[in-house]
Amino acid sequence: MKTFCTARVMLVAVCLCLVGAPSSSFGWGSKGHKLINRMAAESLPADMPAFLKTPEAINEIEYLGPEPDRWRSRAEPELSTEQAPDHFIDLELADKIGALPRGRYEYIADLYAYIAAHPAEAAGMRPEKVGFQPYITEEVWQRLKSAMRDYRTLSAAHEDTKPVEAAILFYAGWLGHYVADGSQPLHTTIQYNGWAGPNPNGYTTSHDIHSKFESAFVDAAVNPSDVQPLMTPLKSIGDEWDDYLAYLRHTNSLVEQVYQLDKQHAFDGTGTPEGKQFVAERLAAGASMLRDLYVAAWVKSAEPVPEWHESQASTTGTQAVASSSPAATKGEPLNLAGASAGVSAASTVKMGHGGVFPPKITSSPVTIVLGTPQGKPKYQGIDLVGLIVDANGNPQQVRVVRPLGMGLDQKAIDAVKQYRFVPAQYKGKPVPVAINIEVRFQVY
């Protein structure tokens, strides 16, 4: 969660504190976080493990709702600084790197690649400035799923499950904090605490809107009875990463509505009916998504673990060269040669695992023509494109890892989508793998 008086923007924080700004606030405040966790736990379906639905378990999950905010104390400065970016993501900034990769470290690498290409933006595009919200959520969710898998194993063996039950409750409560943060629009935007930049609608630039909206107003005006009827029916989670990003993007679409309601004094004191309805809907959205993620973790914990699950490493990918050379203008195939380091992706073999043979390009039917070849090119550059080559040799989840801009990135994506591959092999069977491909441009 972002606040105006944290390590995230120390210079601004100092200035605000000097002029008597109110104290720091955290996502939804204690009341909001506890409310979301409790409602999610209370609405679990009957086929979830019984221990999760006991009064004691629900109370524990509720208590843990604000837990990560308890780690944001001056008494533990390193802990506070390290985990502060987990509470938010500025999607306007994150989207500059293209589609968000699933892995935290690939995301960090993509941000630094963007910085290398756009050094003037370096200060604002550092990972701790952009935020890690979906990454910590995915990571804690996977901890929960893993613990639930252990619970299944111990239960089947008629062994003691009490220790793993305690772990499950902790992960469930911990997860709730970040899912709740994800339902708060100001946790998804550069406009997190006062409108920044062009402001034609005259929204507040005061640095108290964040705490007023999520803490003071919730404490004064919103109760569980306002929120519970607004929870949505249980929804099956497909790919938890994709579904959670869709949830975050919907939250982000409501940023301006927060400022519009604030302009109407909807969050002052006990506010207005419109303000109360909006906040109750956001709290209900958090509780509903959290419940759905709990159920998804339980359901998916029964799935078999892929045999390459614990493998790590690297292999070579393929390099594609696209240029507006005379050969290209005649419709001849793109020149394919060289290699670049592969990357990992969820649900794929970890490249470099022993016995994995990388995919090979068999065709590249696309020709990219950029201008009329004459003399030296005006510009030359390389787009680094990430993709998953599925078990049928088809490119999937194609995205730009290291962009060039200038309208070239989409051309690179369109080209790579038409490549076909001999799929990677693992123990004699075709498997999906993630690779990077370089697409070279010459612009005349």
Side-chain angles (χ1 to χ4, degrees):
M1 136 93 224
K2 292 190 271 191
T3 72
F4 62 83
C5 200
T6 68
R8 184 174 185 243
V9 190
M10 290 302 296
L11 179 59
V12 175
V14 170
C15 294
L16 291 174
C17 291
L18 287 174
V19 297
S23 60
S24 297
S25 62
F26 300 113
W28 287 124
S30 179
K31 180 179 178 180
H33 276 295
K34 287 182 176 179
L35 186 153
I36 286 173
N37 274 27
R38 171 168 283 275
M39 288 196 166
E42 288 180 339
S43 62
L44 289 173
D47 55 354
M48 291 289 283
F51 80 88
L52 278 169
K53 297 182 289 180
T54 65
E56 295 78 13
I58 292 171
N59 288 342
E60 178 74 2
I61 291 171
E62 177 189 42
Y63 170 79
L64 289 168
E67 185 68 7
D69 284 342
R70 299 183 184 114
W71 305 335
R72 305 185 68 187
S73 165
R74 293 186 182 92
E76 293 83 32
E78 289 76 23
L79 174 62
S80 178
T81 299
E82 183 277 331
Q83 59 96 43
D86 288 340
H87 298 255
F88 68 90
I89 185 168
D90 290 346
L91 285 172
E92 302 96 330
L93 301 180
D95 285 343
K96 291 184 177 185
I97 67 171
L100 297 183
R102 299 178 70 112
R104 179 186 288 256
Y105 293 110
E106 187 179 355
Y107 169 68
I108 292 171
D110 287 355
L111 287 171
Y112 278 111
Y114 182 91
I115 288 171
H118 305 84
E121 299 180 46
M125 289 296 292
R126 288 175 60 87
E128 69 272 22
K129 302 296 185 183
V130 182
F132 292 103
Q133 218 283 323
Y135 294 95
I136 188 64
T137 306
E138 174 73 19
E139 292 154 9
V140 178
W141 182 84
Q142 290 190 16
R143 286 181 172 97
L144 176 63
K145 183 181 71 166
S146 175
M148 287 179 164
R149 186 166 56 243
D150 291 343
Y151 174 84
R152 288 180 182 274
T153 301
L154 292 170
S155 295
H158 304 290
E159 297 183 18
D160 181 18
T161 61
K162 291 299 182 184
V164 76
E165 288 175 18
I168 288 170
L169 292 178
F170 178 75
Y171 295 142
W174 185 15
L175 176 65
H177 185 92
Y178 301 116
V179 177
D181 280 351
S183 72
Q184 211 280 52
L186 301 185
H187 281 256
T188 67
T189 178
I190 59 174
Q191 310 295 355
Y192 68 94
N193 200 22
W195 198 266
N199 191 5
N201 296 311
Y203 299 137
T204 183
T205 58
S206 173
H207 298 292
D208 64 358
I209 183 174
H210 199 118
S211 60
K212 179 172 68 173
F213 169 70
E214 68 180 19
S215 295
F217 181 68
V218 173
D219 290 347
V222 183
N223 295 301
S225 59
D226 303 313
V227 178
Q228 197 280 329
L230 300 176
M231 289 186 64
T232 58
L234 181 66
K235 177 184 176 182
S236 176
I237 297 290
D239 182 293
E240 78 286 343
W241 174 260
D242 290 341
D243 288 0
Y244 189 74
L245 279 185
Y247 163 76
L248 277 184
R249 292 196 181 281
H250 175 68
T251 298
N252 180 253
S253 73
L254 303 173
V255 169
E256 194 161 1
Q257 192 171 346
V258 174
Y259 280 88
Q260 290 168 348
L261 286 166
D262 175 78
K263 192 174 180 180
Q264 299 163 12
H265 304 286
F267 310 126
D268 293 351
T270 55
T272 66
E274 292 79 11
K276 184 174 182 178
Q277 177 73 14
F278 180 80
V279 172
E281 288 174 353
R282 289 290 80 220
L283 291 165
S288 299
M289 174 55 82
L290 181 58
R291 174 207 56 209
D292 296 349
L293 286 170
Y294 286 163
V295 174
W298 174 245
V299 171
K300 293 175 186 288
S301 71
E303 296 176 355
V305 177
E307 57 186 79
W308 55 76
H309 178 72
E310 296 180 1
S311 304
Q312 302 282 339
S314 66
T315 189
T316 57
T318 311
Q319 180 185 64
V321 180
S323 68
S324 57
S325 64
T329 63
K330 295 177 183 178
E332 296 181 16
L334 302 176
N335 178 26
L336 304 177
S340 64
V343 297
S344 64
S347 302
T348 68
V349 176
K350 301 291 186 181
M351 292 305 299
H353 172 60
V356 177
F357 293 90
K360 298 179 181 179
I361 289 182
T362 60
S363 64
S364 54
V366 174
T367 297
I368 298 177
V369 179
L370 302 171
T372 302
Q374 196 171 32
K376 292 184 178 180
K378 181 179 179 181
Y379 174 79
Q380 299 185 75
I382 299 173
D383 251 332
L384 189 63
V385 177
L387 68 148
I388 291 175
V389 178
D390 68 20
N392 295 316
N394 298 317
Q396 306 288 347
Q397 300 183 31
V398 181
R399 60 187 178 79
V400 171
V401 174
R402 188 180 64 222
L404 285 174
M406 301 182 296
L408 301 178
D409 300 331
Q410 189 59 49
K411 292 181 183 295
I413 289 172
D414 292 342
V416 172
K417 282 182 177 178
Q418 297 191 51
Y419 295 163
R420 294 298 177 265
F421 301 80
V422 175
Q425 298 282 319
Y426 176 66
K427 293 187 176 180
K429 297 180 180 180
V431 291
V433 294
I435 64 172
N436 286 349
I437 286 181
E438 289 185 349
V439 180
R440 297 181 184 274
F441 288 94
Q442 290 181 352
V443 182
Y444 290 86

